[in-house]
Amino acid sequence: MIGITILGATGTIGINTLDVIARHKERYRVVALTANRDHGRMFELCGIWRPEYAVMADPDAAEQLDRRLRQAEIPVRVLSGVEGLERVSSLDGVDCVMAAIVGAAGLLPTLAAAKTGKRILLANKEALVMSGDLFMEEVKRHDAELLPIDSEHNAVFQCLPNGCREDLSDHGVRRILLTSSGGPFRRFALSELADVTPDQACAHPNWVMGRKISVDSATMMNKGLEVIEACHLFDLAHDDIQIVVHPQSIIHSMVEYVDGSVLAQMASPDMRVPIAHALAWPERVVSGAQRLDLFSVATLNFEPPDRERFPCIQYAYDAVEAGGTAPAVLNAANEVAVEAFLDGRLPFTGIPRIIHDVMGEVRSVPAADLGTVLAADRDARTVAADMVRR
Ligand code: NAD
Ligand code: MG
C-alpha cells in the first residue's frame, strides 16, 4: 500500500485526488489530510477516510475539529499550523505527498516532502515559482521524485521520452508548446476588462477550479506562472517555451522535436487525468474522467496570446529573466492583488497594475537561501497591500 498525504484536501485538487484514490483503495492508504480553516468539511473527510492525521493550518479550526472528532469517537490525531503541515509531509509512513495548497502557504510543507525524499505530486505551482532553484536542489539532494499535476506540465512530461526531464536538447527536444484556454475573457476588449466581476472571472469556460487560480486564468497570470514552473521542472530557458491559446482545452500541451515531430497529450479537461497519471506513474490506472470523444470535439483552434490585453504574461517573462527573488515578488504581488479583487477592493485591471508597480519597487536580489526568498515574499506583500489601499 502506498501511504499518501494530501495537502489542501478540501480544495478542488484535493477532492479530485480523493475521487481517484476512492477507485483504487487496494493501492493507496490516506495517512494525512490537511486544510486551512474549513473544519466542517475536514470533519466529513475524516469520517469517510479515517486518516491517521488531520491538520488544520488555523489553530482555532484545529481545536474545533479535534472536539468534534472526539465527540464522534473518530480516532484521528489533529495537528495545526505550519509545523503540523510539515510533519505530515515528512512522516515515515508516507510515500507520496499531493501538494495542493494554494499559494505561497504551500512552500514550506512541500519543501518538507522534498527534504524527506517523497514522491511529490505538484499542483502548488506557486511554491516552484517562488523558489525554483532552491526547491529543485532539495529534490535532487534528497532523491525526491517530482511529478507535475498541472495539466500542461503533466502533458509535457507524458510527451517526453520516458521519465526524462533534464538535458532535453540531448533528447532532440526543440521546444515546448504550453497550451492555454485563454480564460473567460479571451474575447473581451481591453476597455471591457475594467468592469468585470469576481464571479465572471471565476466562471472558467472549461475547468472548475479554486477561486485564486480561476482569477489567474482570467488575467493569464496562470500561464505566466506556468512558464516559470516549466523552466524549473524541465530545466529550460523561457524562450524554449511558446504559449499557444487553444480554447477547447483538449490538447493539454505539446513537445516539438528537432525532426519536426510535435507530440501532444489530449484528454477531456478533467484534473483527475493528470492526478491518476502521477499517482500511478509509470503504470496507468482508471481516473474516472470521461473518455475523449473527438467527434463531439470536432474542431481544435490555436491562436497566439495577446500580451497587450493580458500584460501579466509579459511580467512573468520579465521576472524569470530578472531571476533571483523577482519571481517570488511577482507571485506575492499577484496573490495580494487577486485577493483584493476577489474581496471587491480592486478592479480586475488593478491586478496587472499592482504587479507591475510592485516589481518596479521591490528590487530583485539573488535567491541565495530560503530566508531571502521568504523575506522578498513578505516585502512584496507589504508594498502590494499599501498600493491596494491607496
Ligand atoms: P482551492 O482553493 O480549491 O483549494 C486550496 C486548498 O488549500 C484548500 O484545501 C485550502 O484549505 C488549502 N489552503 C488554503 N490556504 C491555506 C493556508 N494558508 N495554509 C494551509 N492550507 C491552505 O485551490 P485548487 O484549485 O485546488 O488549487 C490548489 C493548487 O493547485 C493551486 O496552487 C493551483 O494553482 C494548483 N492547480 C489547480 C488546478 C485546478 O484545476 N484546480 C489545476 C492546476 C494547478
Ligand atoms: Mg495548468
Side-chain angles (χ1 to χ4, degrees), residues 297-316:
V297 174
T299 316
L300 299 179
N301 298 99
F302 307 97
E303 52 192 67
D306 181 344
R307 294 190 195 197
E308 211 170 298
R309 281 180 304 141
F310 302 104
C312 289
I313 299 175
Q314 188 57 48
Y315 303 154

Side-chain angles (χ1 to χ4, degrees), residues 71-238:
Q71 271 168 8
E73 296 181 8
I74 300 174
V76 178
R77 290 181 66 178
V78 178
L79 306 176
S80 71
V82 180
E83 310 74 44
L85 296 170
E86 289 178 325
R87 169 102 188 275
V88 296
S89 294
S90 44
L91 289 170
D92 277 347
V94 169
D95 308 289
C96 176
V97 174
M98 166 55 81
I101 291 176
V102 59
L107 175 58
L108 294 177
T110 309
L111 257 181
K115 287 179 181 169
T116 43
K118 308 298 187 198
R119 170 176 284 202
I120 301 169
L121 312 186
L122 186 77
N124 178 213
K125 63 193 88 182
E126 296 93 344
L128 206 52
V129 167
M130 289 174 73
S131 69
D133 291 339
L134 294 170
F135 191 92
M136 295 308 288
E137 273 167 33
E138 296 294 355
V139 166
K140 280 195 197 120
R141 181 173 309 142
H142 302 281
D143 212 14
E145 194 176 24
L146 188 60
L147 296 176
I149 293 298
D150 217 342
S151 56
E152 296 78 3
H153 307 72
N154 183 272
V156 168
F157 184 61
Q158 294 199 44
C159 295
L160 288 171
N162 209 6
C164 147
R165 251 169 320 166
E166 279 180 328
D167 306 321
L168 296 192
S169 58
D170 295 350
H171 294 271
V173 172
R174 183 180 278 150
R175 63 175 179 161
I176 277 175
L177 303 164
L178 212 58
T179 55
S180 160
S181 67
F185 305 137
R186 184 171 60 92
R187 293 244 171 272
F188 279 49
L190 191 52
S191 56
E192 291 171 292
L193 288 177
D195 301 319
V196 298
T197 64
D199 284 346
Q200 277 177 294
C202 289
H204 196 279
N206 306 335
W207 301 94
V208 179
M209 307 184 286
R211 283 171 79 79
K212 191 264 178 180
I213 184 178
S214 295
V215 176
D216 286 348
S217 300
T219 60
M220 289 196 73
M221 176 50 95
N222 185 48
K223 214 44 57 181
L225 298 176
E226 289 184 355
V227 167
I228 303 176
E229 182 186 12
C231 290
H232 292 298
L233 278 175
F234 304 114
D235 196 19
L236 291 171
H238 59 82

